[in-house]
Amino acid sequence: MSKPMRRGAAFAAVLALAAPAFAPAALAQDGGATGATVIATVNGTEITLAQVIALRESLPSELLLLEDDMLFNAIVEQLIQQQVLAQTRETLSPRDEANLAITRMDYLSGVAMEAIIAEGVNEAAIEATYEELMAGVPPVTEYSAAHILVETEAEAIEIKQSIDEGADFGEVARGASLDPGSAAAGGEMGFFDPARMVKPFQDAVIAAEKGVVTDPVQSEYGWHVILVHEQREIRRPTLDEARAEVASEVERRLIAAEIERLSAEAEITRPGADLDPALMKNTALID
């Protein structure tokens, strides 16, 4: 079954056809209008100002740049066309009923989440969550290094000796290293946290003298000679730098807590717990 057209795309098509059903002068008069004010009817079904306002709020920002009279008429025309089409579905299938129920739940749950966020996401909550998150972030020292991986200690000793005598580390790595991830780059690994490496390699990097090739180091992958270039401290991000991520975490926690609270208070039953999960693929049940 095809998906409905996105609202913005459908509206753009209507915009090109919309006739000036309401004169600009008339639009300027509010006449004590309310959300319940009827703008049009389709076979007796009312289209209200509230629906016009709600549809306008959902439109892409570029469409909101249109002149009010043009936009108003296009919105009304869109609603009329939707109502004309909707009225052809006099009898709803189980699929229709299910999708309408899902759409309603999706909208109302979204409104509920927006209310939770509006009430709970504030500067105090963001600052407190930032401090909590950063307290668990230890300082990290990253290292920039290169390495050459070979199978045997004898090979590693020979390679270190040749580099100590003037051979280019990168050239040797390209010709001898068994590490496919770094060999082509002359053994270069860029900056990394040594804690993410196997223990012997980690210890060797931390203990290495900058610019001096290490003695051969054995790991589960083979034998390494390592050249550490430099190290740097990674500072934790400031609140301003992390604000968007922290605010998202505050939102996530607030919503999760509220869902947990509401679920604990709700009477929830699961009479379908023993059904065969494969039934969800039986689309004939809702046709």
Side-chain angles (χ1 to χ4, degrees), residues 29 66 98 102 139 162 178 181 190 214 241 257-258 276:
Q29 306 299 318
L66 295 171
I102 291 169
S162 69
L178 301 177
T214 66
E241 290 170 338
E258 184 65 2
D276 181 357

Side-chain angles (χ1 to χ4, degrees), residues 10-75:
F11 183 84
V14 172
L15 181 63
L17 302 173
F22 299 87
L27 294 176
Q29 306 299 318
D30 61 37
T34 68
T37 297
V38 176
I39 305 299
T41 65
V42 178
N43 295 323
T45 299
E46 296 177 346
I47 293 171
T48 66
L49 181 57
Q51 294 170 344
V52 173
I53 294 170
L55 178 52
R56 179 188 179 279
E57 288 180 336
S58 72
L59 294 175
S61 58
E62 60 269 20
L63 292 177
L64 301 182
L65 300 176
L66 295 171
E67 294 293 333
D68 284 351
D69 57 339
M70 179 181 293
L71 185 57
F72 183 91
N73 285 316
I75 290 173

Side-chain angles (χ1 to χ4, degrees), residues 94-189:
R95 184 191 302 278
D96 295 330
E97 297 283 7
N99 278 306
L100 284 172
I102 291 169
T103 299
R104 184 175 188 275
M105 283 189 292
D106 182 60
Y107 174 77
L108 292 177
S109 63
V111 171
M113 285 190 288
E114 288 175 2
I116 294 168
I117 291 168
E119 181 178 353
V121 179
N122 51 49
E123 190 62 20
I126 290 174
E127 290 178 2
T129 303
Y130 168 80
E131 292 300 333
E132 176 193 340
L133 294 174
M134 291 301 107
V137 179
V140 174
T141 300
E142 286 190 332
Y143 292 79
S144 171
H147 84 129
I148 299 170
L149 174 66
V150 292
E151 288 186 355
T152 67
E153 182 180 17
E155 290 176 281
I157 291 172
E158 182 180 348
I159 283 173
K160 172 177 167 51
Q161 183 177 349
S162 69
I163 294 172
D164 287 343
E165 292 174 353
D168 180 76
F169 189 101
E171 290 300 321
V172 175
R174 277 185 279 270
S177 182
L178 301 177
D179 178 8
S182 66
E188 295 297 337
M189 303 173 67

